[in-house]
Amino acid sequence: QAFWDLTQGDNMLGKYWKLFTRSSSCHESDCLPHRHNQVASHESVHCEKLAGHWVSCDACVEENKVCKCVVDYGIEGLKNELSEEGSDVEHGVKTDSSFSHAVINMVGMLIGLGQLSTPYALENGGWASSFLLVGLGIACAYSSHLLGKCLNKNPNATNYTDLGEHAFGSKGRIIAATFIYMEIFMALVSYTISLHDNLITVFVGTHFKLPMLHLSTAQLLTMAAILVALPSLWLRDLSSISFLSTGGIIMSFLIFVSVACTGLFGGVKANQPIPVLQIHKIPAISGLYIFSYAGHIVFPNLYKAMKDPSKFTKVSIVSFTFVTSLYTTLAFMGAKLYGPTVNSQITLSMPRHLIVTKIALWATVLTPMTKYALEFAPFAMQLEHNLPRTMSPRTKMFVRGTIGSLLLLLILVLALSVPYFHYVLSLTGSFISVGICIIFPCAFYIKICWHDISIPLLMLNVILIALGILIGVFGTISSSRSLIHTMWTAHSA
């Protein structure tokens, strides 16, 4: 039997974000006009070419009854025509992403705040900690490969939370979704802290004061930037600003090139010594390293969008090799240029009189401005999905916009209250990202593919889970202790 489902995708971050929800069955009262994204569950179709066959399907049929137009035309007829259009028959997802397109999308998801902190992490951990950086890159590439394996086992799974449910039921779905939203929330807090730190450097020497508000210039500038970004949370259709996500990759390369130019043309000599290894700082910097590879929540969507999903492993290898090489090069470059004085954000260590420094600072400032609406979109669509169906579109927009605005203001308050970038980033990586990037994918793979796993492969995944737990526990304790101590010291002062 074929039942109607109402599903909706959204192209966010330019990287195929999808709803972190299951499709909901259409009920008798939910009559909808004919749309191109209507699909039939179990034999779902993206009805683009078949509009002529679906003229009679202007309304949802009653639940548990066969859709008349599907019966008339035939499931196989629909599948045959859709396969010619390059669409995923089971989920109605356009499968037109080439190998190079998938690589660009994956690289775009991986490069972000992490690159700002890798020089600081290398300087504090010692040059031998670069093996940890590379090793985590290899482990995350492997876990990305495991996600592809799990998706291949269950074609009905379309996103990260679906894999959680397939592996461990409803509890697995809830845990996966919780970690996803926590990572998004903490990432936005980190973006706001970075915005605050770099704004004060961009507008150095500028002073603002507002009566009745005992706030510093940097805090007022950050509030103004947040207010500028706030209206974007009210947008229902993000396609008008989705091009901004590409700017994240461009700005990351601008930062990398700017750091290189300070050494080549800026008069900064790369002759600073780097310690060999500072073992007591490894737990804290491991969180910074693992956060640099956080992007696994979107990888299932990239897999589903590929023309040839069998190449997903190669996409992961190429993408992680490129990103790991970029991070390692930037880490050594920044550590050699600035040594012990390197800031937790490399842009804040660059000579302020140089033009390339100003370019890097503005790139770092503008990046968070483009992230808020796009990062908030998964939560916003989950929220809208859970609102009563009788609610009008305008009311839904008001609810999601209001809640989004309140969350962004909460993020602003947290960022201004805890303006310690590297501690927050390290805590996020140790407490949340290590689970999403390493522990969960290995656990999903063991549970879903249990009957196909060899003993050596099983041992490898168990070892990775154990290492991930160790990194998570010790990293969380170390970063939390440092954050609390710094906040207590600042409060006492």
Side-chain angles (χ1 to χ4, degrees):
Q1 282 189 320
F3 306 103
W4 285 107
D5 283 345
L6 173 62
T7 59
Q8 182 175 358
D10 197 286
N11 180 22
M12 63 191 65
L13 297 175
K15 302 168 183 71
Y16 308 99
W17 276 94
K18 287 185 63 78
L19 290 177
F20 296 126
T21 61
R22 291 180 252 178
S23 301
S24 56
S25 299
C26 287
H27 293 276
E28 188 171 348
S29 60
D30 297 319
C31 293
L32 298 173
H34 173 69
R35 297 175 61 170
H36 286 298
N37 65 339
Q38 288 174 311
V39 295
S41 69
H42 304 302
E43 304 288 70
S44 302
V45 288
H46 184 74
C47 33
E48 192 165 300
K49 184 177 178 181
L50 306 176
H53 298 291
W54 290 17
V55 174
S56 62
C57 289
D58 289 335
C60 294
V61 294
E62 292 179 330
E63 191 177 33
N64 296 330
K65 291 186 179 180
V66 181
C67 179
K68 184 178 182 298
C69 67
V70 176
V71 174
D72 290 344
Y73 189 65
I75 292 296
E76 291 303 319
L78 297 180
K79 290 172 70 174
N80 291 338
E81 290 208 25
L82 263 296
S83 62
E84 296 175 3
E85 294 298 315
S87 297
D88 184 85
V89 176
E90 295 183 7
H91 300 286
V93 180
K94 273 302 235 189
T95 56
D96 57 356
S97 179
S98 64
F99 178 87
S100 58
H101 192 189
V103 169
I104 292 172
N105 283 336
M106 187 172 286
V107 170
M109 281 307 304
L110 292 172
I111 293 181
L113 284 175
Q115 70 168 350
L116 298 178
S117 61
T118 50
Y120 171 85
L122 185 73
E123 164 60 29
N124 279 268
W127 63 261
S129 70
S130 62
F131 292 105
L132 176 62
L133 175 62
V134 174
L136 288 173
I138 295 172
C140 289
Y142 173 71
S143 64
S144 174
H145 158 75
L146 294 183
L147 291 177
K149 288 287 188 182
C150 293
L151 289 165
N152 186 51
K153 275 284 186 180
N154 182 11
N156 292 324
T158 59
N159 53 53
Y160 199 96
T161 53
D162 285 346
L163 293 179
E165 182 174 36
H166 183 203
F168 301 104
S170 58
K171 291 182 179 179
R173 186 181 193 88
I174 292 172
I175 293 173
T178 300
F179 271 73
I180 286 172
Y181 293 128
M182 286 173 63
E183 184 174 67
I184 292 173
F185 183 82
M186 293 303 295
L188 289 178
V189 172
S190 300
Y191 271 119
T192 308
I193 296 173
S194 175
L195 175 66
H196 169 271
D197 293 344
N198 285 273
L199 269 175
I200 193 172
T201 307
V202 169
F203 292 97
V204 62
T206 305
H207 297 283
F208 293 108
K209 287 291 181 183
L210 289 179
M212 306 297 294
L213 289 177
H214 302 286
L215 299 174
S216 66
T217 300
Q219 291 173 330
L220 291 174
L221 287 171
T222 307
M223 289 179 60
I226 292 297
L227 291 175
V228 170
L230 200 60
S232 64
L233 299 183
W234 291 73
L235 294 175
R236 177 62 185 86
D237 181 13
L238 295 179
S239 59
S240 58
I241 61 171
S242 62
F243 72 93
L244 293 175
S245 62
T246 309
I249 301 177
I250 297 174
M251 292 176 188
S252 295
F253 281 110
L254 281 177
I255 294 171
F256 178 85
V257 172
S258 298
V259 174
C261 287
T262 58
L264 295 174
F265 313 109
V268 181
K269 295 182 178 180
N271 58 2
Q272 296 291 331
I274 304 176
V276 178
L277 181 65
Q278 301 190 82
I279 194 69
H280 63 284
K281 294 185 178 181
I282 292 298
I285 68 166
S286 62
L288 296 175
Y289 283 155
I290 195 68
F291 184 87
S292 303
Y293 296 112
H296 289 60
I297 58 178
V298 186
F299 292 172
N301 306 94
L302 300 183
Y303 176 94
K304 285 293 181 180
M306 290 185 66
K307 289 180 182 177
D308 185 4
S310 65
K311 295 182 179 179
F312 182 75
T313 297
K314 293 182 180 179
V315 170
S316 300
I317 293 173
V318 172
S319 301
F320 275 92
T321 299
F322 177 82
V323 171
T324 302
S325 301
L326 180 73
Y327 284 159
T328 306
T329 304
L330 183 61
F332 274 101
M333 190 188 307
K336 288 296 291 181
L337 285 171
Y338 304 107
T341 62
V342 67
N343 198 281
S344 59
Q345 300 177 70
I346 186 62
T347 52
L348 302 181
S349 297
M350 299 166 65
R352 297 185 181 181
H353 65 280
L354 298 178
I355 295 178
V356 290
T357 301
K358 292 178 171 58
I359 293 173
L361 287 171
W362 274 110
T364 309
V365 165
L366 293 176
T367 298
M369 301 290 291
T370 66
K371 293 288 185 180
Y372 291 116
L374 297 171
E375 291 276 358
F376 176 71
F379 174 80
M381 282 188 280
Q382 171 71 73
L383 172 66
E384 189 167 316
H385 177 80
N386 291 331
L387 292 175
R389 299 188 181 196
T390 55
M391 191 176 290
S392 66
R394 180 170 296 184
T395 305
K396 287 184 178 181
M397 182 192 71
F398 178 79
V399 172
R400 73 194 293 269
T402 301
I403 294 179
S405 300
L406 292 175
L407 282 175
L408 187 55
L409 293 177
L410 175 60
I411 288 170
L412 173 63
V413 171
L414 284 176
L416 296 182
S417 303
V418 192
Y420 308 110
F421 178 79
H422 55 296
Y423 294 141
V424 173
L425 208 64
S426 177
L427 179 60
T428 305
S430 300
F431 184 62
I432 303 172
S433 301
V434 70
I436 292 177
C437 297
I438 296 178
I439 298 173
F440 292 168
C442 292
F444 293 166
Y445 179 68
I446 291 175
K447 188 67 168 60
I448 294 173
C449 306
W450 174 259
H451 298 291
D452 301 326
I453 302 179
S454 63
I455 297 300
L457 198 58
L458 176 62
M459 294 302 299
L460 173 62
N461 283 275
V462 171
I463 290 172
L464 285 176
I465 292 175
L467 290 176
I469 293 174
L470 285 176
I471 290 174
V473 171
F474 286 103
T476 300
I477 294 173
S478 176
S479 54
S480 299
R481 184 182 298 168
S482 299
L483 179 59
I484 293 172
H485 175 73
T486 304
M487 291 178 63
W488 178 260
T489 303
H491 179 73
S492 300

